[in-house]
Amino acid sequence: MARDQRSEPEGREQFAFALRPPADMTEARFVRARSNADARAWLAQEEWPDRRLWLWGPEGCGKTHLLHVWASRRGARVMDARLLDSVTMEPKAVPGALALDNVGAIGDERALLHLLNMARDGRAHVLMAGVAPPSRLDVALPDLASRLRATVAVAVGKPEDTLRATVLLRLLAERQLVVGQHVTDWLCRRLPRTGSALLEAVERLDAAALAQRRPVTRTMARHVLADLLKPEETQTAPDESRHDAR
């Protein structure tokens, strides 16, 4: 689970094939947990029905990280489906494996259908990822809708507490932030249950600690993360000042 970083494409004429695995989306950095166990099991298989698989789940659940891990294993080209364009797309040979991110936000349905047809003709494996399963998408083209709904869809759940704690500690360590356990435990309890929320929180805390030239405390966190924390936790409790003084 990590930030959904994506490189800028080199041009639509290249099918948006310019995406490269971000440095933090390697297999070694992926945190295994129950919430992603089903997806990992499917990705470990050599074959899928019709050679297509769809990963879906909320933002920050790790599906994009899994997509990059699979692409690295299979030598697949990673594409941002939002950049597909049927006008400029040329009939090129499709590689043996494709990984398409943001498929639920596709703007050019004909381009996606054309790409899936080429993948089918070339017997290429296609891994797709989106926030929702294909059955919930509003697709206008009947052929594309039936093709997507026939794709096996595997959910990636929201990260559980142990996974969130591991990711939070890793993000803090990467920024060389020394934060007391009472603060990290408090953050895990109060922040939204997504990886993207953890990432945003650490980025804000890093900036605040640098600007104020002092360690991260709950008082600081409550101030800079007020819009992320649960409403009832934006008030300072009487017994917390002694923790912040540590």
Side-chain angles (χ1 to χ4, degrees):
M1 182 176 59
R3 185 190 331 205
D4 290 342
Q5 297 176 335
R6 300 174 179 86
S7 303
E8 287 296 323
E10 295 176 356
R12 295 179 186 271
E13 70 278 2
Q14 296 186 12
F15 285 133
F17 284 163
L19 294 182
R20 291 177 292 276
D24 59 350
M25 290 195 184
T26 62
E27 186 163 7
R29 292 183 57 79
F30 187 79
V31 182
R32 296 169 176 249
R34 291 190 305 273
S35 56
N36 55 54
D38 289 345
R40 287 186 284 109
W42 274 96
L43 294 181
Q45 297 183 22
E46 290 296 323
E47 293 295 334
W48 306 321
D50 297 323
R51 295 179 294 279
R52 296 191 308 273
L53 186 69
W54 183 292
L55 300 181
W56 68 277
E59 293 292 342
C61 70
K63 59 186 181 296
T64 293
H65 197 155
L66 281 168
L67 183 140
H68 280 284
V69 168
W70 179 83
S72 179
R73 290 178 188 168
R74 300 295 292 265
R77 287 181 173 178
V78 181
M79 306 168 59
D80 188 332
R82 296 172 299 184
L83 302 179
L84 293 176
D85 188 336
S86 59
V87 176
T88 59
M89 182 179 289
E90 299 175 4
K92 297 182 180 180
V94 173
L98 293 174
L100 287 80
D101 203 4
N102 300 304
V103 183
I106 181 69
D108 192 330
E109 294 186 1
R110 293 189 181 279
L112 178 57
L113 179 60
H114 180 49
L115 184 61
L116 292 179
N117 285 338
M118 289 192 295
R120 178 194 58 193
D121 295 343
R123 301 187 64 79
H125 286 75
V126 180
L127 175 63
M128 295 174 277
V131 174
S135 60
R136 297 182 191 169
L137 298 183
D138 184 12
V139 180
L141 291 178
D143 289 347
L144 179 60
S146 62
R147 188 78 55 84
L148 294 179
R149 288 168 184 164
T151 302
V152 174
V154 182
V156 181
K158 290 184 179 180
E160 51 268 77
D161 291 343
T162 54
L163 175 55
R164 294 171 66 244
T166 300
V167 172
L168 176 60
L169 292 176
R170 175 181 290 177
L171 292 171
L172 291 170
E174 287 174 349
R175 290 162 177 77
Q176 299 183 344
L177 286 173
V178 179
V179 182
Q181 183 178 348
H182 66 282
V183 179
T184 58
D185 290 346
W186 179 83
L187 287 170
C188 282
R189 292 195 303 269
R190 309 310 181 199
L191 286 169
R193 302 183 64 82
T194 65
S196 55
L198 293 178
L199 180 58
E200 182 176 352
V202 171
E203 289 176 342
R204 292 191 196 180
L205 292 173
D206 188 21
L210 182 62
Q212 300 176 29
R213 298 182 180 229
R214 64 188 184 90
V216 174
T217 64
R218 274 197 268 183
T219 299
M220 177 191 292
R222 184 176 286 104
H223 175 70
V224 302
L225 306 177
D227 59 323
L228 287 179
L229 300 173
K230 295 179 181 179
E232 64 270 19
E233 296 302 330
T234 59
Q235 299 284 332
T236 302
D239 62 342
E240 288 181 357
S241 58
R242 59 187 177 86
H243 291 295
D244 285 350
R246 295 178 186 177

